[in-house]
Amino acid sequence: MEERLQKILAQAGVCSRRAAEELIRQGRVKVDGTIVTEMGVKIDPNRHRITVNGRPIQGSEKKITVLLNKPKGFVTTMSDPQGRPIVSSLIKDIDERLFPVGRLDLDTEGALLMTNDGELAQKLLHPKFEVNKTYQVTILGHIEPQKIQALEQGIDLDGRQTWPAKISVREKSEKTTSLHIIIHEGRKRQVRRMFEAVGHPVIHLKRLAYGNLRLGNLSPGKYRFLSPKDLASLFR
Ligand code: URA
Protein backbone atom coordinates (compact mmCIF):
# COMPACT_ATOMS: atom_id res chain seq x y z
CA MET A 1 0.00 0.00 0.00
CA GLU A 2 1.25 3.48 -0.83
CA GLU A 3 2.04 5.85 2.04
CA ARG A 4 3.73 9.19 2.35
CA LEU A 5 7.49 8.79 2.60
CA GLN A 6 7.79 10.62 5.94
CA LYS A 7 5.09 8.38 7.43
CA ILE A 8 6.92 5.25 6.21
CA LEU A 9 10.18 6.43 7.79
CA ALA A 10 8.41 7.15 11.08
CA GLN A 11 6.62 3.79 11.04
CA ALA A 12 9.89 1.99 10.36
CA GLY A 13 11.21 3.54 13.57
CA VAL A 14 13.79 5.73 11.85
CA CYS A 15 12.66 8.93 13.58
CA SER A 16 9.59 11.10 14.11
CA ARG A 17 7.56 12.24 11.12
CA ARG A 18 8.83 15.77 11.49
CA ALA A 19 12.47 14.62 11.71
CA ALA A 20 11.81 12.46 8.65
CA GLU A 21 10.72 15.55 6.72
CA GLU A 22 14.03 17.15 7.62
CA LEU A 23 15.97 14.07 6.44
CA ILE A 24 14.08 14.18 3.15
CA ARG A 25 14.75 17.92 2.76
CA GLN A 26 18.45 17.33 3.37
CA GLY A 27 18.58 14.78 0.52
CA ARG A 28 19.48 11.90 2.81
CA VAL A 29 16.60 9.68 1.70
CA LYS A 30 16.70 7.63 -1.49
CA VAL A 31 14.00 5.59 -3.19
CA ASP A 32 15.43 2.91 -5.49
CA GLY A 33 18.72 4.75 -5.52
CA THR A 34 17.32 8.19 -6.38
CA ILE A 35 17.34 11.06 -3.86
CA VAL A 36 13.84 12.29 -3.10
CA THR A 37 13.60 15.82 -1.68
CA GLU A 38 10.02 16.50 -2.66
CA MET A 39 7.68 16.36 0.30
CA GLY A 40 4.63 14.10 0.40
CA VAL A 41 5.70 11.62 -2.26
CA LYS A 42 3.66 8.44 -1.90
CA ILE A 43 5.24 5.04 -2.40
CA ASP A 44 4.72 1.38 -1.54
CA PRO A 45 7.52 0.34 0.84
CA ASN A 46 7.04 -3.30 -0.15
CA ARG A 47 7.85 -2.56 -3.75
CA HIS A 48 10.66 -0.02 -3.42
CA ARG A 49 13.94 0.16 -1.63
CA ILE A 50 14.13 3.10 0.74
CA THR A 51 17.45 4.08 2.25
CA VAL A 52 18.41 6.71 4.81
CA ASN A 53 22.04 7.74 4.70
CA GLY A 54 22.59 4.80 2.35
CA ARG A 55 21.11 2.18 4.66
CA PRO A 56 17.84 0.40 3.83
CA ILE A 57 15.08 0.98 6.35
CA GLN A 58 13.48 -1.99 8.03
CA GLY A 59 10.99 -3.88 5.87
CA SER A 60 11.83 -1.89 2.79
CA GLU A 61 13.61 -3.86 0.20
CA LYS A 62 12.89 -3.84 -3.42
CA LYS A 63 11.27 -7.10 -4.42
CA ILE A 64 13.45 -8.88 -6.92
CA THR A 65 12.77 -12.14 -8.72
CA VAL A 66 15.07 -13.75 -11.23
CA LEU A 67 14.90 -16.84 -13.39
CA LEU A 68 18.12 -18.78 -12.92
CA ASN A 69 19.38 -21.61 -15.08
CA LYS A 70 20.55 -23.82 -12.25
CA PRO A 71 23.54 -25.93 -13.23
CA LYS A 72 23.94 -29.53 -12.08
CA GLY A 73 25.83 -29.97 -8.82
CA PHE A 74 24.30 -26.96 -7.00
CA VAL A 75 21.99 -27.38 -4.01
CA THR A 76 18.80 -25.32 -3.69
CA THR A 77 19.31 -24.41 -0.04
CA MET A 78 20.75 -21.26 1.53
CA SER A 79 23.62 -23.19 3.11
CA ASP A 80 24.96 -26.71 2.91
CA PRO A 81 26.59 -28.54 5.82
CA GLN A 82 28.42 -30.74 3.30
CA GLY A 83 29.97 -27.70 1.67
CA ARG A 84 28.48 -28.28 -1.78
CA PRO A 85 27.95 -25.26 -4.04
CA ILE A 86 24.70 -23.39 -3.30
CA VAL A 87 22.51 -21.66 -5.87
CA SER A 88 22.62 -18.29 -4.11
CA SER A 89 26.36 -18.10 -4.81
CA LEU A 90 25.43 -17.69 -8.49
CA ILE A 91 23.59 -14.41 -7.82
CA LYS A 92 26.45 -11.97 -8.07
CA ASP A 93 25.37 -8.38 -8.61
CA ILE A 94 22.28 -8.14 -6.38
CA ASP A 95 22.54 -6.77 -2.83
CA GLU A 96 19.32 -8.40 -1.64
CA ARG A 97 19.41 -11.98 -0.43
CA LEU A 98 17.42 -14.09 -2.85
CA PHE A 99 16.17 -17.52 -1.90
CA PRO A 100 15.01 -20.35 -4.19
CA VAL A 101 11.29 -20.92 -4.80
CA GLY A 102 10.90 -24.65 -4.25
CA ARG A 103 13.72 -26.97 -5.14
CA LEU A 104 15.52 -28.78 -7.86
CA ASP A 105 17.62 -31.85 -7.07
CA LEU A 106 21.38 -31.62 -6.99
CA ASP A 107 21.54 -33.43 -10.34
CA THR A 108 18.69 -31.53 -11.97
CA GLU A 109 19.40 -28.43 -14.01
CA GLY A 110 17.22 -25.70 -15.38
CA ALA A 111 14.63 -23.06 -14.55
CA LEU A 112 14.63 -21.99 -10.91
CA LEU A 113 13.03 -18.84 -9.55
CA MET A 114 15.03 -16.94 -6.93
CA THR A 115 13.34 -14.12 -5.01
CA ASN A 116 13.33 -12.03 -1.85
CA ASP A 117 9.53 -11.81 -2.01
CA GLY A 118 8.25 -14.24 0.62
CA GLU A 119 4.62 -13.61 -0.27
CA LEU A 120 5.21 -14.43 -3.93
CA ALA A 121 7.13 -17.61 -3.06
CA GLN A 122 4.35 -18.80 -0.77
CA LYS A 123 1.75 -18.22 -3.46
CA LEU A 124 3.77 -20.01 -6.12
CA LEU A 125 4.29 -23.03 -3.91
CA HIS A 126 0.60 -23.30 -3.07
CA PRO A 127 -1.00 -26.17 -5.06
CA LYS A 128 -4.05 -23.94 -5.63
CA PHE A 129 -2.15 -21.92 -8.23
CA GLU A 130 -1.09 -25.00 -10.16
CA VAL A 131 1.84 -23.44 -11.96
CA ASN A 132 2.92 -25.85 -14.68
CA LYS A 133 6.52 -26.96 -14.79
CA THR A 134 7.91 -28.40 -18.00
CA TYR A 135 10.79 -30.88 -17.81
CA GLN A 136 12.96 -32.47 -20.42
CA VAL A 137 13.66 -36.02 -19.29
CA THR A 138 15.95 -38.65 -20.66
CA ILE A 139 15.10 -42.15 -19.49
CA LEU A 140 16.69 -45.53 -19.96
CA GLY A 141 14.91 -47.73 -22.48
CA HIS A 142 11.87 -47.26 -24.68
CA ILE A 143 8.67 -46.64 -22.79
CA GLU A 144 5.39 -48.30 -23.82
CA PRO A 145 2.41 -46.08 -24.65
CA GLN A 146 0.37 -47.72 -21.83
CA LYS A 147 2.97 -46.60 -19.30
CA ILE A 148 2.88 -43.07 -20.64
CA GLN A 149 -0.87 -43.12 -20.31
CA ALA A 150 -0.61 -44.39 -16.72
CA LEU A 151 1.84 -41.62 -15.83
CA GLU A 152 -0.41 -39.04 -17.47
CA GLN A 153 -3.46 -40.22 -15.56
CA GLY A 154 -1.65 -40.41 -12.23
CA ILE A 155 0.24 -43.12 -10.42
CA ASP A 156 0.66 -43.95 -6.76
CA LEU A 157 3.64 -42.27 -5.07
CA ASP A 158 3.85 -42.62 -1.29
CA GLY A 159 0.23 -43.77 -1.15
CA ARG A 160 -1.06 -40.72 -3.03
CA GLN A 161 -1.98 -40.37 -6.68
CA THR A 162 0.00 -37.89 -8.72
CA TRP A 163 -2.06 -35.23 -10.48
CA PRO A 164 -2.58 -35.58 -14.24
CA ALA A 165 0.53 -34.93 -16.29
CA LYS A 166 1.18 -34.28 -19.98
CA ILE A 167 3.90 -36.28 -21.68
CA SER A 168 5.27 -36.17 -25.21
CA VAL A 169 8.04 -38.34 -26.65
CA ARG A 170 10.64 -36.19 -28.44
CA GLU A 171 13.45 -38.49 -29.49
CA LYS A 172 14.60 -42.07 -29.26
CA SER A 173 18.12 -43.42 -29.40
CA GLU A 174 19.19 -47.03 -29.22
CA LYS A 175 19.09 -47.19 -25.42
CA THR A 176 17.31 -44.04 -24.25
CA THR A 177 14.21 -41.94 -24.82
CA SER A 178 13.89 -38.19 -24.46
CA LEU A 179 10.51 -36.80 -23.41
CA HIS A 180 8.83 -33.65 -22.18
CA ILE A 181 6.61 -33.87 -19.12
CA ILE A 182 4.44 -31.11 -17.67
CA ILE A 183 3.34 -31.36 -14.05
CA HIS A 184 2.17 -28.78 -11.55
CA GLU A 185 3.00 -30.58 -8.32
CA GLY A 186 6.40 -30.31 -6.71
CA ARG A 187 6.83 -33.48 -4.68
CA LYS A 188 10.32 -34.58 -3.76
CA ARG A 189 12.14 -36.09 -6.78
CA GLN A 190 8.74 -36.43 -8.38
CA VAL A 191 9.70 -36.81 -12.04
CA ARG A 192 12.52 -39.23 -11.26
CA ARG A 193 10.26 -41.32 -9.03
CA MET A 194 7.40 -41.35 -11.54
CA PHE A 195 9.57 -42.81 -14.29
CA GLU A 196 11.35 -45.17 -11.89
CA ALA A 197 7.93 -46.45 -10.81
CA VAL A 198 7.25 -47.65 -14.36
CA GLY A 199 10.72 -49.18 -14.76
CA HIS A 200 12.56 -46.39 -16.59
CA PRO A 201 15.25 -44.66 -14.51
CA VAL A 202 15.91 -41.02 -15.36
CA ILE A 203 19.44 -40.33 -16.54
CA HIS A 204 19.06 -36.62 -17.26
CA LEU A 205 16.54 -34.06 -16.02
CA LYS A 206 16.22 -30.42 -16.91
CA ARG A 207 13.40 -27.99 -16.13
CA LEU A 208 12.75 -26.09 -19.33
CA ALA A 209 10.05 -23.76 -18.06
CA TYR A 210 8.37 -22.52 -14.93
CA GLY A 211 4.83 -21.62 -15.99
CA ASN A 212 5.38 -19.97 -19.35
CA LEU A 213 8.76 -18.56 -18.32
CA ARG A 214 11.11 -20.52 -20.51
CA LEU A 215 14.87 -20.79 -20.12
CA GLY A 216 15.37 -19.91 -23.76
CA ASN A 217 19.05 -19.38 -24.42
CA LEU A 218 20.01 -18.63 -20.81
CA SER A 219 23.31 -20.45 -20.14
CA PRO A 220 23.77 -22.60 -17.02
CA GLY A 221 24.61 -20.39 -14.02
CA LYS A 222 23.08 -17.27 -15.62
CA TYR A 223 19.85 -15.51 -14.69
CA ARG A 224 17.49 -12.86 -15.94
CA PHE A 225 15.33 -10.39 -14.04
CA LEU A 226 11.60 -10.99 -14.19
CA SER A 227 9.25 -8.10 -14.88
CA PRO A 228 5.89 -7.58 -13.13
CA LYS A 229 4.34 -8.79 -16.40
CA ASP A 230 6.38 -12.03 -16.27
CA LEU A 231 5.24 -12.59 -12.69
CA ALA A 232 1.60 -11.85 -13.44
CA SER A 233 1.72 -14.43 -16.25
CA LEU A 234 2.43 -17.15 -13.67
CA PHE A 235 -0.98 -16.72 -12.08
CA ARG A 236 -3.06 -16.71 -15.22
N1 URA B 1 11.39 -33.83 -10.26
C1 URA B 1 12.53 -34.42 -9.88
O1 URA B 1 12.60 -35.64 -9.82
N2 URA B 1 13.57 -33.65 -9.57
C2 URA B 1 13.56 -32.31 -9.63
O2 URA B 1 14.57 -31.67 -9.33
C3 URA B 1 12.38 -31.71 -10.03
C4 URA B 1 11.30 -32.48 -10.34
Side-chain angles (χ1 to χ4, degrees):
M1 199 179 74
E2 288 194 339
E3 294 277 13
R4 282 178 196 279
L5 192 50
Q6 56 268 50
K7 186 171 174 192
I8 296 168
L9 295 181
Q11 281 176 342
V14 175
C15 53
S16 69
R17 222 183 273 195
R18 185 168 293 181
E21 286 175 2
E22 194 49 37
L23 287 176
I24 294 169
R25 217 170 273 123
Q26 289 170 358
R28 289 158 69 187
V29 179
K30 285 186 185 171
V31 176
D32 294 340
T34 305
I35 294 176
V36 174
T37 50
E38 197 186 324
M39 217 44 67
V41 170
K42 279 187 155 183
I43 55 162
D44 180 348
N46 292 320
R47 297 275 146 212
H48 300 277
R49 190 168 193 262
I50 304 166
T51 59
V52 174
N53 296 329
R55 293 223 194 105
I57 65 163
Q58 203 187 2
S60 163
E61 22 170 41
K62 191 168 178 180
K63 300 293 186 259
I64 297 175
T65 306
V66 301
L67 179 74
L68 168 74
N69 186 352
K70 174 196 167 304
K72 268 185 181 181
F74 280 73
V75 289
T76 42
T77 48
M78 294 304 277
S79 63
D80 185 54
Q82 295 174 52
R84 293 169 298 185
I86 54 178
V87 283
S88 53
S89 69
L90 295 164
I91 310 293
K92 304 260 190 236
D93 53 356
I94 299 175
D95 291 338
E96 277 79 7
R97 211 167 130 85
L98 306 190
F99 54 87
V101 178
R103 61 184 164 228
L104 283 179
D105 305 331
L106 183 70
D107 289 343
T108 302
E109 54 185 299
L112 179 70
L113 296 192
M114 301 276 299
T115 189
N116 62 348
D117 189 340
E119 216 174 297
L120 173 77
Q122 237 178 345
K123 249 169 105 178
L124 287 171
L125 294 174
H126 199 288
K128 184 171 96 182
F129 289 103
E130 303 186 353
V131 178
N132 282 334
K133 289 112 189 166
T134 308
Y135 296 88
Q136 182 187 58
V137 198
T138 308
I139 56 168
L140 269 184
H142 296 156
I143 186 168
E144 292 159 13
Q146 298 93 300
K147 288 185 178 175
I148 291 185
Q149 208 182 357
L151 289 171
E152 285 191 317
Q153 284 172 354
I155 58 155
D156 182 275
L157 280 189
D158 314 318
R160 245 187 333 127
Q161 285 288 109
T162 55
W163 282 86
K166 260 193 178 162
I167 298 175
S168 55
V169 174
R170 314 301 285 206
E171 228 180 292
K172 282 184 191 172
S173 74
E174 200 188 330
K175 293 198 173 125
T176 65
T177 307
S178 167
L179 314 98
H180 284 187
I181 176 168
I182 304 177
I183 57 172
H184 69 254
E185 287 174 286
R187 295 205 234 165
K188 202 166 181 199
R189 298 180 72 79
Q190 180 163 345
V191 175
R192 292 176 195 275
R193 289 194 296 142
M194 283 173 74
F195 283 96
E196 253 159 43
V198 294
H200 293 279
V202 169
I203 54 174
H204 179 252
L205 183 59
K206 178 177 184 177
R207 185 150 74 193
L208 297 176
Y210 194 99
N212 55 9
L213 304 175
R214 306 192 72 82
L215 279 181
N217 51 14
L218 205 57
S219 321
K222 299 286 180 221
Y223 51 90
R224 67 177 170 89
F225 287 84
L226 297 182
S227 66
K229 207 167 146 198
D230 287 332
L231 295 175
S233 77
L234 293 173
F235 297 104
R236 235 175 258 144

